Amino acid sequence: MANIQPYSILFLINSETNSFVRARPRLLECQVQIDATTHSFLNHHSYIDCAQAQHFTMLEMESQIVQDMGRIKDCLSNELIKEVIAAVERSVTLDRKEKRWILAALKSL
């Protein structure tokens, strides 16, 4: 989760980058690799897609978490948070206002 106000903003974690993203350097540079050896909640290396934010209301988030508390995994390492911040700053696809909210939330960690 990258932000909670005025609504929840999340980035998807994918097990690989798809061919559409790989063919577009501006999108590819917004993919942040997560190393499974330093993030025990992963079974294999994955990628945070910082090019596209997902939006959920707090009610939607609470509903999903209450249904399955196992969805709460862990936190990203400080080094990885810095990489996510850099990817968000590079992003040309995120809305400027949304980008400010995300960066403010991540930089406050």
Side-chain angles (χ1 to χ4, degrees), residues 5 9 38 51-52 68 74 77 79 90 92-93 95 99 102 104 106 109:
Q5 294 296 331
I9 300 173
T38 57
Q52 183 176 2
D68 182 4
D74 202 351
S77 67
E79 192 58 41
R90 286 190 301 268
V92 295
T93 55
D95 175 75
K99 205 171 178 176
I102 294 167
L106 290 172
L109 297 176

Side-chain angles (χ1 to χ4, degrees), residues 14 18 21 28 31-32 36 50 57 59 64 72-73 77 81 87 90 97 102:
N14 299 303
N18 65 44
V21 170
L28 190 57
Q31 307 300 302
V32 177
C50 298
T57 66
L59 185 58
Q64 291 298 314
I72 299 173
K73 300 296 181 187
S77 67
I81 291 170
R90 286 190 301 268
K97 184 180 356 178
I102 294 167

Side-chain angles (χ1 to χ4, degrees), residues 26-37:
R26 298 294 272 177
L27 296 178
L28 190 57
E29 69 183 3
C30 295
Q31 307 300 302
V32 177
Q33 185 175 5
I34 309 174
D35 183 8
T37 58

Side-chain angles (χ1 to χ4, degrees), residues 63-74:
S63 169
Q64 291 298 314
I65 291 169
V66 167
Q67 286 179 23
D68 182 4
M69 293 298 286
R71 291 182 178 190
I72 299 173
K73 300 296 181 187
D74 202 351

Side-chain angles (χ1 to χ4, degrees), residues 1-108:
M1 183 176 305
N3 188 52
I4 59 169
Q5 294 296 331
Y7 47 82
S8 300
I9 300 173
L10 298 99
F11 291 125
L12 293 181
I13 297 177
N14 299 303
S15 55
E16 59 185 49
T17 56
N18 65 44
S19 57
F20 180 84
V21 170
R22 286 192 305 272
R24 290 160 179 79
R26 298 294 272 177
L27 296 178
L28 190 57
E29 69 183 3
C30 295
Q31 307 300 302
V32 177
Q33 185 175 5
I34 309 174
D35 183 8
T37 58
T38 57
H39 292 87
S40 61
F41 58 92
L42 295 173
N43 295 326
H44 48 79
H45 299 323
S46 298
Y47 298 86
I48 302 172
D49 181 0
C50 298
Q52 183 176 2
Q54 306 298 315
H55 307 103
F56 298 92
T57 66
M58 286 306 292
L59 185 58
E60 291 170 319
M61 291 292 299
E62 289 171 1
S63 169
Q64 291 298 314
I65 291 169
V66 167
Q67 286 179 23
D68 182 4
M69 293 298 286
R71 291 182 178 190
I72 299 173
K73 300 296 181 187
D74 202 351
C75 295
L76 301 179
S77 67
N78 290 335
E79 192 58 41
L80 193 58
I81 291 170
K82 291 176 188 175
E83 291 181 43
V84 169
I85 289 170
V88 170
E89 288 173 338
R90 286 190 301 268
S91 176
V92 295
T93 55
L94 293 172
D95 175 75
R96 284 184 181 180
K97 184 180 356 178
E98 195 170 67
K99 205 171 178 176
R100 282 194 309 270
W101 291 336
I102 294 167
L103 290 171
L106 290 172
K107 290 178 179 179
S108 71

